[in-house]
């Protein structure tokens, strides 16, 4: 008993500085605005599992917000020739991607019968309409103007997306680094219309191949290339898990947003962001 009392007194003494009076100070919940965050899960049905559906998608959007924060910072760092900083930012993107991929494992606990109980309440709302996901695609260089029409309802959002649509992507600034390093890059690529999808180019392919054949000489460019491969690899894993989760829950039904559902998700798996970095692996 005496031993327990001493331990209790020791714990009390060591924790005596814990703040308990927040009358005039900001709390943890206030800093994070938890009242807003935790009151934003408004189910449209009375089905228990709709909470799971909402939370998983909200968490994914928060992770995507952080991905965009880091991707945009990395693009800016590369433009400033600060590759070391960009490596940290891109590595963080990859770690975030590992978290967002695991979200599908949680959602896959939703069975087809359970989802059908509240699916009709979604109307035409769909993850296909995620504007943050579109901005991630834009930052990685995949741009299709028809998706912009989805967002015309909100002028401010549309203007923001249009700006991202026309801005150089991660691969564009990486290619400029190849030119700065002395590689001969087709001049049309260095001042191209960034609102058009990137197409494979032999001069870029030759430059990256040289980088990989001379790692010690082009160490920074080699690291940059591998960071890009990490991100595309993880994005494709995310897409695959998305496709399989949708197939598991709704089979081959049409998506709520009007897409062909699983068939559409299978098709986007063929999209490539940094094609030369994958092709050169066959040539090495």
């Amino acid at each position: 008993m005496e031993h327990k009392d001493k331990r209790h007194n020791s714990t009390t003494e060591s924790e005596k500085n814990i703040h308990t009076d927040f009358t005039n100070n900001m709390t943890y919940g206030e800093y994070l605005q938890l009242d807003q965050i935790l009151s934003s899960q408004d189910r449209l049905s009375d089905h228990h599992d709709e909470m799971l559906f909402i939370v998983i998608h909200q968490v994914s959007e928060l992770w995507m917000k952080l991905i965009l924060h880091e991707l945009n910072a990395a693009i800016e760092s590369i433009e400033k020739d600060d590759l070391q900083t960009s490596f940290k930012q891109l590595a963080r993107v990859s770690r975030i991607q590992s978290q967002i991929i695991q979200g599908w494992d949680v959602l896959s606990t939703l069975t087809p019968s359970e989802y059908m109980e509240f699916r009709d309440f979604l109307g035409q709302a769909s993850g296909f309409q995620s504007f943050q996901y579109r901005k991630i695609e834009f930052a990685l260089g995949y741009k299709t103007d028809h998706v912009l029409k989805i967002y015309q309802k909100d002028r401010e959002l549309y203007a923001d997306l249009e700006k991202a649509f026309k801005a150089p992507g991660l691969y564009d600034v990486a290619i400029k680094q190849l030119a700065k390093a002395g590689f001969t890059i087709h001049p049309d690529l260095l001042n191209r219309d960034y609102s058009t999808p990137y197409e494979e180019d032999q001069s870029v392919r030759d430059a990256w191949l040289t980088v990989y054949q001379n790692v010690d000489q082009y160490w920074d460019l080699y690291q940059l290339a591998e960071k890009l491969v990490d991100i595309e690899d993880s994005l494709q894993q995310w897409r695959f898990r998305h496709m399989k989760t949708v197939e598991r829950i709704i089979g081959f039904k049409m998506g709520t947003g009007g897409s062909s559902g699983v068939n559409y998700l299978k098709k986007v798996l063929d999209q490539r962001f940094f094609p030369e970095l994958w092709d050169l692996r066959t040539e090495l």
Side-chain angles (χ1 to χ4, degrees):
M1 180 65 73
E2 183 181 350
H3 175 71
K4 289 184 178 179
D5 288 342
K6 286 182 178 179
R7 186 172 61 184
H8 174 72
N9 291 336
S10 175
T11 301
T12 303
E13 182 67 22
S14 65
E15 306 298 346
K16 67 180 182 180
N17 291 323
I18 290 179
H19 294 288
T20 57
D21 183 2
F22 288 91
T23 305
N24 298 308
N25 295 298
M26 178 177 64
T27 65
Y28 169 82
E30 289 169 339
Y31 172 67
L32 295 177
Q33 300 183 57
L34 291 180
D35 56 339
Q36 295 180 41
I37 294 174
L38 298 180
S39 62
S40 298
Q41 293 73 45
D42 296 325
R43 289 182 292 169
L44 298 180
S45 73
D46 60 0
H47 196 278
H48 173 84
D49 292 318
E50 190 182 355
M51 180 64 74
L52 163 69
F53 192 81
I54 293 172
V55 169
I56 285 295
H57 286 86
Q58 287 182 340
V59 168
S60 294
E61 290 292 335
L62 284 172
W63 280 130
M64 283 192 275
K65 181 172 184 176
L66 188 54
I67 286 174
L68 284 167
H69 180 69
E70 299 297 339
L71 277 179
N72 290 330
I75 290 171
E76 185 176 338
S77 294
I78 295 169
E79 286 182 316
K80 294 178 179 177
D81 303 327
D82 185 2
L83 296 187
Q84 290 301 318
T85 297
S86 77
F87 296 157
K88 174 64 179 294
Q89 292 158 339
L90 294 174
R92 182 173 291 165
V93 170
S94 295
R95 293 295 184 91
I96 298 166
Q97 287 178 301
S98 70
Q99 294 296 313
I100 204 170
I101 289 170
Q102 290 179 16
W104 294 119
D105 293 337
V106 183
L107 188 59
S108 66
T109 64
L110 181 68
T111 69
S113 298
E114 291 162 347
Y115 183 46
M116 287 304 107
E117 291 291 327
F118 63 86
R119 186 179 192 240
D120 288 344
F121 286 89
L122 303 181
Q124 295 179 329
S126 166
F128 182 83
Q129 298 147 17
S130 169
F131 65 86
Q132 290 198 121
Y133 179 73
R134 295 304 170 195
K135 288 177 76 172
I136 290 172
E137 284 190 328
F138 294 168
L140 297 181
Y142 183 74
K143 300 180 179 182
T144 52
D145 57 4
H146 73 275
V147 301
L148 287 175
K149 296 177 182 178
I150 297 171
Y151 312 100
Q152 289 178 330
K153 177 180 178 179
D154 185 329
R155 289 186 179 182
E156 186 175 345
L157 173 59
Y158 184 84
D160 184 51
L161 282 163
E162 192 174 36
K163 180 180 178 181
F165 186 77
K166 294 179 179 179
L170 185 59
Y171 202 41
D172 293 309
V173 295
I175 290 171
K176 286 184 178 181
Q177 283 297 317
L178 291 172
K180 289 181 180 180
F183 289 102
T184 301
I185 301 298
H186 197 293
D188 289 348
L189 290 179
L190 302 178
N191 295 286
R192 71 184 192 87
D193 178 359
Y194 298 120
S195 67
T196 60
Y198 173 79
E199 296 183 4
E200 292 184 53
D201 182 86
Q202 188 63 44
S203 67
V204 173
R205 187 170 181 161
D206 292 342
W208 283 128
L209 184 60
T210 301
V211 168
Y212 274 76
Q213 290 172 333
N214 300 274
V215 172
D216 291 341
Q217 183 179 354
Y218 299 107
W219 178 247
D220 281 353
L221 289 172
Y222 173 71
Q223 286 189 87
L224 176 59
E226 284 298 291
K227 290 289 188 290
L228 299 186
V229 171
D230 286 343
I231 288 172
E232 180 166 348
D233 190 353
S234 293
L235 183 68
Q236 295 294 51
Q237 289 184 50
W238 183 89
R239 283 174 159 181
F240 179 79
R241 290 295 296 123
H242 184 190
M243 182 269 292
K244 293 306 293 184
T245 302
V246 171
E247 183 178 2
R248 176 172 178 160
I249 296 174
I250 68 168
F252 286 82
K253 293 184 182 71
M254 181 178 290
T256 52
S259 75
S260 57
V262 169
N263 288 325
Y264 169 79
L265 296 174
K266 283 184 175 180
K267 184 173 64 176
V268 299
L269 285 171
D270 293 330
Q271 294 171 0
R272 300 205 298 171
F273 297 92
F274 318 127
E276 293 88 355
L277 293 177
W278 294 96
D279 292 341
L280 67 81
R281 282 154 163 76
T282 305
E283 298 182 44
L284 284 172

